[in-house]
Amino acid sequence: MTSAASVRVIAPGGTIGILGGGQLGRMTTLAAARLGYRTHVFCQRADEPGAQIASARTLAPFTDEAALAAFAAAVDVVTFEFENIPVETLIALAKRTPVRPSPTVLAISQDRLVEKEFLAGSGFLTAPFAEVEDDAQLAAADARIGRPSILKTSRHGYDGKGQVRLALGDDAGAAWRTLGRAPAVLEGFVRFSTEASVIVARGLDGKTVAFDVTENRHEGGILRESRVPAQLLPALMAEAQELASRIAITLDLTGLLAVELFVNRDGGLLVNELAPRPHNSGHWTIDAAATSQFEQLVRAICGLPLGSAARTADARMLNLLGEEAQDWRSHLADPGARLHLYGKDEARPGRKMGHVTWVSPLPKG
Ligand SMILES: Nc1ncnc2c1ncn2[C@@H]1O[C@H](COP(=O)(O)OP(=O)(O)OP(=O)(O)O)[C@@H](O)[C@H]1O
Ligand SMILES: [Mg+2]
């Protein structure tokens, strides 16, 4: 007898379609392979990190309907490893094959304004924000939010790109021009004491499992390092995990959700942004959790039971940006370091080329 639930399970041997060719898809492919799955990466170039190691690849624009139809026919489930994909692409795929997380989740998370309106409308706290689509809105937003503030393009931002900080006396109009006057969100600057994130998985059965809260340090808008355990009160960490689970449930998400948080000086939590996919701040889970975030994604979207998110060690993850990845010899010589390189050949400044994780006992520093 086959129940409805078992029909939806994609057993090992199946093929996971991944939209996007970056390192997140690459590490998902590695985790999928360990469980006996194949992956089929849909991206633009064969040398992208995920495409290099996938079992199959489709190299085409996300708008190529014939390529999408063939891709859908070749895979058992589709997921995505970045948000800059047209929602129409996911909607077209969803007519032919399961897409997890859903097109609706992508639509919310790929636009900062829509995302913040979703959060605020569902009762989750964020920094004060206002929509900016024309000069009048910019002036009104500036007056309401005050300074300091951050103007962010609603779409296509990552690693701090598409953002300008506004201090007292700065010209808001000039700042918006540097963003090409693209639709934007003006946010109040949060004087947080800590940045943290929680990655939660939600299975096909609706069960959620959250990883430990990660403490993050950014430099120039780019994640530099993540540490677990976070130096926060246990009750606050439990609250953060609970918050992330509630957001995943509100989104009716199947897959992974990363929730980036600001911890206020008074201990309050504000949601900075959502990413419905594996997240850079969760890379430590490969080396220091019972189940990695990538395996957890595979389990969630294939309808398998979620794994234990138990942490097996304290960990510190350092991103290797640009030329730093050329230091691989020293990391390989360090017995406590676990080196992960993404196979990118062009080491542009600030580009994420790899990461190193140290697990306990952690070296000093
Ligand atoms: N309202 C804010 N107040 C204070 N700092 C902020 C605010 N918004 C962003 N930042 C800082 O800039 C960093 C990057 O911002 P944000 O997460 O919005 O951008 P992003 O480009 O989408 O980043 P990523 O893709 O790396 O998550 C934040 O992690 C935080 O350090
Ligand atoms: Mg961010």
Side-chain angles (χ1 to χ4, degrees):
M1 194 187 84
T2 50
S3 70
S6 68
V7 170
R8 293 153 83 198
V9 168
I10 295 151
T15 301
I16 299 168
I18 303 175
L19 299 170
Q23 63 267 20
L24 301 175
R26 180 183 177 97
M27 290 183 271
T28 303
T29 288
L30 292 170
R34 195 158 70 91
L35 290 182
Y37 290 91
R38 292 155 200 272
T39 58
H40 184 147
V41 165
F42 193 119
C43 66
Q44 272 71 62
R45 297 189 333 270
D47 68 340
E48 290 180 54
Q52 287 172 20
I53 65 162
S55 330
R57 57 200 66 70
T58 296
L59 306 177
F62 290 122
T63 48
D64 183 332
E65 285 174 26
L68 288 171
F71 174 69
V75 303
D76 298 300
V77 61
V78 170
T79 194
F80 50 88
E81 61 103 53
F82 77 134
E83 287 98 309
N84 291 332
I85 299 164
V87 176
E88 296 72 35
T89 298
L90 260 63
I91 293 172
L93 290 168
K95 290 187 180 134
R96 302 167 187 264
T97 192
V99 173
R100 298 172 183 152
S102 68
T104 309
V105 171
L106 178 75
I108 292 170
S109 62
Q110 74 178 187
D111 184 300
R112 282 186 202 282
L113 180 66
V114 176
E115 180 175 288
K116 287 203 154 56
E117 285 173 341
F118 158 77
L119 287 165
S122 311
F124 299 109
L125 298 179
T126 67
F129 67 93
E131 176 179 8
V132 174
E133 286 210 331
D134 58 38
D135 291 308
Q137 272 185 334
L138 177 61
D142 198 17
R144 183 157 76 75
I145 304 292
R147 304 288 177 91
S149 60
I150 307 194
L151 188 61
K152 303 180 179 180
T153 57
S154 290
R155 286 174 173 259
H156 306 303
Y158 71 98
D159 291 349
K161 294 183 173 70
Q163 302 193 5
V164 202
R165 298 186 179 199
L166 291 176
L168 209 61
D170 287 346
D171 179 344
W176 194 31
R177 279 196 294 281
T178 67
L179 300 178
R181 291 171 61 85
V185 177
L186 186 69
E187 273 183 43
F189 194 87
V190 179
R191 289 180 182 83
F192 53 79
S193 58
T194 306
E195 279 200 85
S197 55
V198 177
I199 297 168
V200 62
R202 187 160 178 266
L204 260 186
D205 58 3
K207 288 209 182 90
T208 59
V209 175
F211 288 99
D212 277 9
V213 176
T214 307
E215 186 169 330
N216 301 315
R217 191 169 58 79
H218 292 76
E219 279 172 11
I222 305 178
L223 182 66
R224 168 46 77 180
E225 74 171 343
S226 292
R227 285 177 184 255
V228 277
Q231 298 302 301
L232 297 170
L233 292 173
L236 189 66
M237 296 204 270
E239 187 188 326
Q241 289 177 310
E242 166 67 25
L243 173 69
S245 297
R246 274 192 288 124
I247 298 174
I249 292 165
T250 309
L251 285 167
D252 194 20
L253 172 131
T254 301
L256 280 191
L257 179 71
V259 179
E260 297 179 11
L261 297 164
F262 297 133
V263 183
N264 264 331
R265 286 171 197 277
D266 63 4
L269 296 173
L270 297 178
V271 179
N272 172 29
E273 53 170 0
L274 307 178
R277 53 165 170 79
H279 192 263
N280 194 168
S281 68
H283 290 358
W284 63 267
T285 60
I286 301 173
D287 296 305
T291 308
S292 76
Q293 62 167 343
F294 302 101
E295 177 176 336
Q296 201 70 305
L297 172 65
V298 169
R299 287 173 177 245
I301 63 177
C302 291
L304 309 183
L306 296 180
S308 161
R311 193 160 53 76
T312 54
D314 294 357
R316 171 178 178 234
M317 187 276 330
L318 186 76
N319 270 334
L320 298 177
L321 305 174
E323 305 272 309
E324 289 166 5
Q326 281 159 21
D327 243 3
W328 50 266
R329 275 190 192 79
S330 70
H331 295 304
L332 289 179
D334 176 350
R338 318 232 171 142
L339 178 67
H340 302 255
L341 294 173
Y342 307 149
K344 299 180 183 176
D345 28 300
E346 205 194 328
R348 291 192 297 272
R351 190 173 194 212
K352 291 172 179 170
M353 305 296 289
H355 70 269
V356 188
T357 306
W358 289 270
V359 298
S360 54
L362 293 175
K364 298 233 165 6

